[in-house]
Structure formats: C-alpha cells, structure tokens
Amino acid sequence: MLFSEENYRFMYAAFQEAEIAFDEKEIPVGAVIVKDGRILGKGHNQTERLKDPTAHAEMIAVTAAANTLHEERLTGCDLYVTLEPCLMCAGAALLARISNIYFAAFDIKFGACGSLYNLPAEGKYNHSIKVYSGIMEKESQKLLQNFFKEVRELKK
C-alpha cells in the first residue's frame, strides 16, 4: 500500500518517540495522535520508568490527546504507532473512538490489530477503526531488534 507524505511525517514522529524509549532503555515503541494535520498527543513506552504495565506508548498518547482536547472521545483522530497495538491499547483506541490506526510492524506475540486478534475490525462494538500497516515497518523492526540484541548482550 502506498502512503501519503503526511502519513510518513506522522509515523516518523512516532518513530522519534520510539528512539527516545530506546535511549531510556524502554522497549522502543512510540505513538502520536493526530487530528486535522496536528499532533495532539505523543508518547513512548515508559513501563520500566513508571513501574506501570499500562504505560504503553499508545496509552500515554491517548491520555495526552484527550487532555489537549479536554475530551474523553478522540473522534476524527488517527493513531500512529511503531508496533501493532496490544489488546489493551486497541481497546483504549476503541473506547476513545479513534478513527484510524496506522502501525509500522506487526507484533506476532501480542498484536491485536491483525496478528493474534483484530479487535478494531471485529464488528462487535458500536465503533470500528480502520487499520493500516507497514508504514516504516523495516525501520521499526530494526530498532526493536537492536534493542533486544542489546538486552541479550547485557544478560551475558
């Protein structure tokens, strides 16, 4: 699938968040929430730093965007994330009424947007989300591979 220049710009912003996570020794996942060409919220994984298993990039970005809009619903917003959202994050996107999810790399162990599950497209909810994958996939995979390689080397 071909993506627009704007899609690449926003995924690159998510990738920059993932690089921050990498530098902070967190699993390098980054996310941004966009509406009308403007980033409303961004986040990167902070589970280690905050000692919080829910501190995923998507959750932090959703909270930031909701605070920016002073709304609990993010209708008309798009989520860009460097790794396929898990069940928790896909569920949060549904509850927030995100319109589209763009993700880079599939997550074969925890993915809930096409890998293990496809929560946004199941049609069991009063809201559905369009999902697009593959934008900056190789770059995101490489960052994750480098991170886990470093982790394994530190454990030796």
Side-chain angles (χ1 to χ4, degrees), residues 61-137:
V62 164
T63 299
N67 287 335
T68 298
L69 292 175
H70 305 288
E71 295 284 340
E72 66 183 89
R73 302 282 188 249
L74 301 178
T75 306
C77 292
D78 298 331
L79 167 63
Y80 289 82
V81 61
T82 59
L83 185 65
E84 179 183 0
C86 68
L87 279 168
M88 174 181 67
C89 295
L94 279 165
L95 291 171
R97 306 300 193 267
I98 295 286
S99 295
N100 298 292
I101 295 174
Y102 296 88
F103 71 86
F106 281 93
D107 183 350
I108 60 169
K109 292 183 180 180
F110 292 99
C113 293
S115 287
L116 295 177
Y117 304 97
N118 197 347
L119 207 60
E122 282 184 358
K124 295 180 181 178
Y125 309 98
N126 63 348
H127 179 70
S128 63
I129 302 172
K130 293 180 182 172
V131 177
Y132 305 91
S133 62
I135 185 167
M136 290 187 67
E137 180 177 17

Side-chain angles (χ1 to χ4, degrees), residues 5-23:
E5 184 177 322
E6 186 174 77
N7 292 139
Y8 281 100
R9 182 166 54 96
F10 293 129
M11 186 59 78
Y12 183 71
F15 187 79
Q16 288 177 309
E17 287 294 313
E19 290 178 317
I20 293 169
F22 184 95
D23 292 341

